[in-house]
Amino acid sequence: EIPDPWWGMFEKCCKELGMAYKLPKHEKTYQEYQDLVAGCTFLCAPLYELSTGGLSLMEGYYLGKPCLISNSHWNGARDYMDGLQGVRYFKHGDVQDFKNKLWDMYQDTPKLNRDLCKLHIERNFSDKRMVDDMLVRIRETI
């Protein structure tokens, strides 16, 4: 685990705001995890560093789940979610901004078209698309 100063901030802020929340904590089977994501109202990625880009956010967005994300330049979700409908950001390191944006997302959760979200993920991040992109890069290199 990379020591991130925001570990636990999500839980702390949710408790202070009286909001219900769930954490997978890597303790669930994949099916349990999928069920958890499918049942969420929205997903949140508050950590400073999210180098994988937060694949769980992509899975959630595929299901039409809006996302609240740290604007840290080390949060990889910005690389593929920036500009998408239903994706909101908070100023990393600013606890009050995080709490405000978290509360706003809780009170006014964006409603997304699941079919459009699914289409976006399939067009841009499917296995086939990723392989096609790699083949283009290999051809350009050769």
Side-chain angles (χ1 to χ4, degrees), residues 103-127:
W103 184 253
D104 289 346
M105 184 70 100
Y106 184 71
Q107 291 294 310
D108 186 26
T109 308
K111 303 294 183 234
L112 303 180
N113 181 317
R114 181 175 180 227
D115 292 333
L116 292 177
C117 293
K118 181 178 176 180
L119 184 61
H120 172 78
I121 297 298
E122 288 174 349
R123 280 188 179 159
N124 295 288
F125 302 104
S126 67
D127 293 345

Side-chain angles (χ1 to χ4, degrees), residues 87-103:
V87 175
R88 297 179 182 170
Y89 295 90
F90 70 92
K91 182 179 177 187
H92 193 82
D94 184 333
V95 176
Q96 193 57 52
D97 187 57
F98 177 57
K99 286 170 76 172
N100 290 342
K101 301 279 174 58
L102 191 59
W103 184 253

Side-chain angles (χ1 to χ4, degrees), residues 47-61:
L47 298 180
Y48 174 78
E49 198 278 334
L50 200 59
S51 60
T52 63
L55 295 177
S56 58
L57 295 176
M58 194 182 297
E59 291 173 322
Y61 197 80

Side-chain angles (χ1 to χ4, degrees), residues 8-18 95 98-99 102:
M9 188 62 69
F10 174 73
E11 301 95 298
K12 178 181 182 286
C13 290
C14 286
K15 286 176 185 174
E16 288 176 11
L17 294 168
V95 176
F98 177 57
K99 286 170 76 172
L102 191 59

